[in-house]
Amino acid sequence: MLNRVILIGRLTKDPEMRYTPAGVAVTQFTLAVDRPFTSGGQNEREADFIPIVTWRQLAETCANYLRKGRLTAVEGRIQVRNYENNEGKRVYVTEIIADNVRFLESGNRENGPRDEGAASYGSGNGNYGGGNSQGGTSGGNPQGGGRSGGTPRNNNSRDPFSDDGRPIDISEDDLPF
Amino acid sequence: MLNRVILIGRLTKDPEMRYTPAGVAVTQFTLAVDRPFTSGGQNEREADFIPIVTWRQLAETCANYLRKGRLTAVEGRIQVRNYENNEGKRVYVTEIIADNVRFLESGNRENGPRDEGAASYGSGNGNYGGGNSQGGTSGGNPQGGGRSGGTPRNNNSRDPFSDDGRPIDISEDDLPF
Amino acid sequence: MLNRVILIGRLTKDPEMRYTPAGVAVTQFTLAVDRPFTSGGQNEREADFIPIVTWRQLAETCANYLRKGRLTAVEGRIQVRNYENNEGKRVYVTEIIADNVRFLESGNRENGPRDEGAASYGSGNGNYGGGNSQGGTSGGNPQGGGRSGGTPRNNNSRDPFSDDGRPIDISEDDLPF
Amino acid sequence: MLNRVILIGRLTKDPEMRYTPAGVAVTQFTLAVDRPFTSGGQNEREADFIPIVTWRQLAETCANYLRKGRLTAVEGRIQVRNYENNEGKRVYVTEIIADNVRFLESGNRENGPRDEGAASYGSGNGNYGGGNSQGGTSGGNPQGGGRSGGTPRNNNSRDPFSDDGRPIDISEDDLPF
DNA sequence: TTTT
DNA sequence: TTTT
C-alpha cells in the first residue's frame, strides 16, 4: 500500500539506456550506498549495490547526465520481478523504480581535476549547479536536468545493453506507470 | 550514504524467528505491498513481495505479535547480500533490514478467521490497538510492542526456519548494528 | 532539491474541505502522530499535531472517506508558507502537502462498536478493506478511494471552513502541482 | 506512530550551536529546499526554508562541519512545539529533529568564495569529499564526521544564538531522545 | 484547539 | 561484476 525508497550513493558505472520494442526509454544503473557502520571484520563489505531503473524522460535525462562515480539521490519504490532462467529456475530480481533522481554533483570537469559541485545560494553567478529530474505519471517534460553543468552525451552511437551477460527481460509490461 | 525504506503491506505468512549461533534473535517475514497501479494485463501481478529482516529485541517483538495477513508498516534500509549456492554460483539477496515496525492491526481475534483490525477506540475495552516496536543501535529494550492487544505466541515449540527450500545463511556477520 | 515526508497517525477531527475561488478542491486535516518516546515528565505532550493539505481529487477522496480518529498514512512534502496577520506581523505556517494518502482503517462501523479494519490477503471475502488515494500531477482520476468500506459523506450541506478563527489564505497560487 | 522526513537542500546561514543549561549541545540551521515546480507567477517563492535541530554529538559535528550554502541531506522527524509569546499568545513552531545528517559537499575552499563541491575523486588529494554524521538514541560517538575534508571551526569564541530576533526556547525538556 |  |  505504501512503498517508498530514498537513497544517496554513487554510480558504479555509467548508466545504460535502451528502448523497449514499443520505443520506451529505460535506463539502468547501480548505486553504491555506503553502510552506516563498519562490519565486524575489517575491510569487509561496507556498501550495498542497489540496481536502479528509470523510464521515459527520466531515463533519457539520467543517461545524458549521470556518470560513473557521481553522487546521486534516488527516490522511488522497490519492485521485485521474477523470470525463469535457462535452467528453468525462477530468479527474483529486486530493483528500485525511480521516479525522482537528483544529481548532487554537476560533473563538468573537462578542464581540471577538481569537481566544482553545485553553486551556493547567495553566490552571484546564477549557476544552479545541481541538476535534477523527476518522473512519474507526468513522464513527459524534462525538469531541470538541463540545468546541470554537465555536457549531455550522445547516446546514439552506443549499443545500449549490448549483452553483458545479464538476462534482459524488461518489457513494456513492466511499465511502472 | 543514505538508505531509507518505508513500506506498508501485509504479512504473507507468520514470521519466522531463529537465533544465530551467538544467540542473537533474528526474525524474517515477507510483506506483500500492493502496487499503486494495475499492470497492463488484468489480474496480473499487482503486489511486490518484499523480504524483511529484524534483529534482537525487535525480532522478538515481531515474532510475538505479527501474524499472517496483518497490515504492518516497516522502516529500514535495503541490504544486498550474496552467497555462493551449491552450484558454485553467486546469488544476490535483497532484504529490508528493519529498525522500526508498526503493527497497524491489533490482532485480537477471539472468535473467527476475520481479522478485526486495530484501534478499537470507541469500543469499550480501552485497548490501544496499534502496537509498535523500534530497533536499531539501541537494540535493547522493547518500546511499546507490549502495548499491542495481541497475545504473544510461545515460539519455543516452533522449529524456526524449518527448511522451506530457501538457503538460510544469515550469520552474526550480517549483524547490521 | 528533495523533500519527502511519511507520517502515520490519527485525524484529530473530521477533515475540512473547501474550494478555491478558481474551483479547486482543497482539504485540510491534522494528524496526531505519537512520538516514539515518553517525554521526560509524565503525561507530558507525547504526540505531534501535524497539519495536512490535499488538493483536487485527493482532497475530495479524503473529505469523503477520512474521519476523526482514523489511522491514516500520509506521504508528501513539507511546505512553509507565510502571510501577514492583522497586526502586520509575518506568520509562518508549516504544512504537509500530501500527494498520497492511505486509509488504514475502513471505518464502516455503523452497526457495532468494533472496527473491522482491512481484510487479509488470502481471506475468502474479496473485500479489500483498506482504501487509498494518490494525488499529484495526475490529479484527476480517483484511485481506489472508492474501494474503502466507508460510506462517503455528502459534503454539500456543510459550509467548509466556515470561519473557525484560523486565518484562511490558501489560494490557487499555493497550488503545489 | 511513524514520522519520517528526508530533505536535501542548502544551509541559508552558518549553523548556530549552544548548550542547554544541562550542558547538552543543540545546533540549529535552516535548509533551503527548492520546490519541484515553478509557482504560477514567475520568480515567485520557489524554495521552502525548513528549520533543522540537532542534538548532542550530531549537533557538534554539524556546528563544526556545516556552513552556509552547503548542500546537505537531513533525515529526521517533524516536531511541533509551542510556547506562549510575550503577548500571551500561543505560537506553534515546526522543526525537523534530525537524527542523520549527510554532508554532500566537502567544503575545503582554499581560495575564494565559491564552494568547490564534494568528492574530489580523481583529484590527487585522496580526500573523501562527503562527510556524514548520524545521531539518535546512541547519541554518543562521532560517526564519520571526521572524514570530511572541511576544517572544524572553533565555536568557543562565538556567542551561539546571540539574539537574532527569534524567540529561543529550546530546553532540556525538548530533548527528543 | 487536538487522535488512540 | 562494483562507487568514493
Side-chain angles (χ1 to χ4, degrees):
Chain A
M1 291 184 74
L2 190 148
N3 182 337
R4 190 89 290 206
V5 177
I6 298 177
L7 303 171
I8 299 179
R10 294 181 185 280
L11 291 238
T12 61
K13 298 193 204 173
D14 285 0
E16 308 218 20
M17 182 171 82
R18 70 177 192 95
Y19 289 92
T20 66
V24 179
V26 49
T27 293
Q28 295 186 311
F29 55 91
T30 296
L31 223 52
V33 181
D34 288 341
R35 295 192 178 164
F37 54 90
T38 38
S39 93
Q42 198 84 0
N43 32 22
E44 290 290 323
R45 119 185 95 86
E46 44 180 7
D48 290 289
F49 298 93
I50 302 175
I52 314 291
V53 179
T54 61
W55 289 90
R56 305 176 190 275
Q57 173 59 42
L58 181 54
E60 295 181 345
T61 310
C62 286
N64 281 336
Y65 293 100
L66 284 179
R67 287 297 169 276
K68 174 177 176 174
R70 294 284 167 77
L71 191 66
T72 304
V74 163
E75 207 181 333
R77 60 183 184 80
I78 303 178
Q79 184 170 270
V80 183
R81 60 186 173 85
N82 63 81
Y83 64 94
E84 200 136 334
N85 69 4
N86 32 356
E87 287 118 34
K89 231 173 70 178
R90 193 135 295 272
V91 180
Y92 291 85
V93 180
T94 303
E95 296 157 321
I96 306 307
I97 310 302
D99 50 50
N100 189 6
V101 175
R102 301 286 158 168
F103 310 152
L104 303 176
E105 291 174 346
S106 71
N108 47 352
R109 45 160 109 186
E110 284 87 352
N111 43 18
R114 302 292 300 275
D115 190 354
E116 288 183 350
S120 309
Y121 277 95
S123 89
N125 67 4
N127 167 34
Y128 185 98
N132 70 80
S133 201
Q134 197 152 0
T137 53
S138 66
N141 57 325
Q143 299 185 4
R147 292 144 88 200
S148 166
T151 308
R153 175 174 61 171
N154 186 338
N155 283 288
N156 296 351
S157 60
R158 295 182 64 251
D159 176 17
F161 282 34
S162 55
D163 190 359
D164 58 352
R166 273 200 298 160
I168 299 168
D169 56 0
I170 290 175
S171 75
E172 188 69 309
D173 296 342
D174 290 318
L175 267 183
F177 323 114
Chain B
M1 291 186 72
L2 190 149
N3 183 336
R4 189 88 292 203
V5 177
I6 298 177
L7 302 172
I8 299 179
R10 293 180 183 282
L11 292 238
T12 61
K13 297 192 205 174
D14 284 1
E16 307 219 19
M17 182 170 81
R18 69 175 192 95
Y19 290 93
T20 66
V24 179
V26 50
T27 293
Q28 295 186 312
F29 55 90
T30 295
L31 223 53
V33 181
D34 287 344
R35 296 194 176 160
F37 54 90
T38 38
S39 92
Q42 196 84 2
N43 32 22
E44 291 290 321
R45 119 184 95 85
E46 45 180 6
D48 290 289
F49 298 93
I50 302 174
I52 314 292
V53 179
T54 61
W55 289 91
R56 304 177 191 275
Q57 174 58 43
L58 181 55
E60 295 181 344
T61 309
C62 286
N64 281 336
Y65 293 101
L66 284 179
R67 285 299 168 275
K68 174 179 175 172
R70 294 284 167 76
L71 191 65
T72 304
V74 163
E75 208 182 332
R77 60 182 186 80
I78 304 177
Q79 183 170 271
V80 184
R81 61 186 172 84
N82 64 82
Y83 64 95
E84 199 135 336
N85 70 4
N86 31 357
E87 287 117 34
K89 230 173 69 178
R90 193 137 296 270
V91 179
Y92 292 84
V93 180
T94 303
E95 295 157 322
I96 306 306
I97 310 301
D99 50 49
N100 189 6
V101 176
R102 301 287 159 169
F103 310 152
L104 303 176
E105 292 175 346
S106 71
N108 45 355
R109 42 163 104 181
E110 287 85 352
N111 47 15
R114 293 287 303 282
D115 192 352
E116 288 179 348
S120 315
Y121 48 84
S123 87
N125 68 4
N127 166 36
Y128 185 98
N132 71 82
S133 200
Q134 198 154 1
T137 53
S138 65
N141 57 324
Q143 298 185 3
R147 292 147 85 202
S148 165
T151 308
R153 174 174 60 171
N154 186 339
N155 283 287
N156 296 351
S157 60
R158 297 182 63 252
D159 176 16
F161 282 34
S162 55
D163 190 359
D164 57 351
R166 273 200 298 157
I168 298 167
D169 56 359
I170 290 175
S171 76
E172 186 70 311
D173 296 341
D174 291 318
L175 267 182
F177 323 114
Chain C
M1 291 184 74
L2 191 150
N3 182 337
R4 191 90 292 209
V5 176
I6 298 177
L7 303 171
I8 299 179
R10 293 181 185 280
L11 291 239
T12 61
K13 298 192 204 174
D14 285 0
E16 307 218 19
M17 182 170 82
R18 70 175 190 96
Y19 290 93
T20 66
V24 180
V26 48
T27 293
Q28 297 186 311
F29 55 90
T30 295
L31 223 52
V33 181
D34 288 342
R35 296 193 176 161
F37 53 90
T38 39
S39 92
Q42 198 84 1
N43 32 22
E44 291 290 321
R45 117 185 97 87
E46 45 180 6
D48 290 288
F49 298 95
I50 302 174
I52 313 292
V53 179
T54 62
W55 288 91
R56 303 176 190 275
Q57 174 58 42
L58 181 55
E60 293 180 347
T61 310
C62 287
N64 281 336
Y65 293 100
L66 284 179
R67 285 297 168 278
K68 174 177 176 174
R70 292 285 166 74
L71 191 66
T72 304
V74 163
E75 207 182 333
R77 60 181 185 80
I78 304 178
Q79 183 171 271
V80 183
R81 61 185 171 85
N82 64 80
Y83 64 94
E84 200 137 334
N85 70 3
N86 32 357
E87 287 118 35
K89 232 172 70 179
R90 193 137 294 273
V91 179
Y92 291 85
V93 179
T94 302
E95 295 158 321
I96 306 307
I97 309 302
D99 49 50
N100 189 7
V101 175
R102 302 286 159 168
F103 309 152
L104 303 176
E105 291 175 347
S106 71
N108 47 354
R109 45 159 108 184
E110 283 87 353
N111 43 20
R114 302 292 299 276
D115 190 355
E116 286 183 351
S120 310
Y121 276 95
S123 90
N125 67 4
N127 166 35
Y128 185 98
N132 71 81
S133 200
Q134 198 154 0
T137 54
S138 66
N141 58 324
Q143 297 185 5
R147 292 145 88 201
S148 166
T151 307
R153 175 175 59 171
N154 187 338
N155 284 288
N156 296 351
S157 60
R158 295 183 63 251
D159 175 18
F161 282 37
S162 56
D163 190 358
D164 58 353
R166 274 201 295 160
I168 298 167
D169 55 0
I170 290 174
S171 75
E172 188 69 310
D173 296 342
D174 290 318
L175 269 183
F177 323 114
Chain D
M1 291 186 73
L2 191 149
N3 183 336
R4 190 88 287 200
V5 177
I6 298 178
L7 303 171
I8 300 180
R10 294 180 182 281
L11 291 238
T12 61
K13 298 193 205 173
D14 285 1
E16 309 218 19
M17 182 170 80
R18 68 178 193 93
Y19 289 94
T20 65
V24 179
V26 49
T27 294
Q28 295 187 311
F29 55 90
T30 295
L31 224 53
V33 181
D34 288 343
R35 296 195 177 161
F37 54 91
T38 38
S39 91
Q42 198 82 1
N43 33 22
E44 290 291 322
R45 122 185 94 85
E46 44 180 7
D48 290 289
F49 297 93
I50 302 174
I52 314 293
V53 178
T54 61
W55 288 91
R56 303 175 191 276
Q57 175 59 42
L58 181 55
E60 295 181 344
T61 309
C62 286
N64 282 336
Y65 293 101
L66 284 179
R67 286 297 168 276
K68 174 178 176 173
R70 295 282 168 75
L71 192 66
T72 304
V74 162
E75 207 182 334
R77 60 181 185 80
I78 304 178
Q79 183 171 270
V80 183
R81 60 186 172 85
N82 64 80
Y83 64 94
E84 199 135 337
N85 69 5
N86 32 358
E87 287 119 32
K89 232 172 72 179
R90 193 136 297 271
V91 179
Y92 292 84
V93 180
T94 303
E95 296 156 320
I96 306 307
I97 309 301
D99 50 50
N100 188 7
V101 175
R102 301 287 158 170
F103 309 152
L104 302 177
E105 292 175 345
S106 70
N108 45 356
R109 42 163 104 183
E110 287 86 352
N111 46 15
R114 294 285 305 280
D115 191 354
E116 288 178 349
S120 317
Y121 47 85
S123 87
N125 67 5
N127 165 36
Y128 183 97
N132 71 81
S133 199
Q134 197 154 2
T137 53
S138 65
N141 57 325
Q143 296 185 6
R147 292 148 85 201
S148 167
T151 308
R153 175 175 60 170
N154 188 337
N155 284 287
N156 295 350
S157 59
R158 296 184 62 253
D159 176 17
F161 283 34
S162 55
D163 191 356
D164 58 351
R166 275 200 297 156
I168 298 167
D169 56 359
I170 289 174
S171 76
E172 187 69 310
D173 296 341
D174 290 317
L175 268 182
F177 323 115

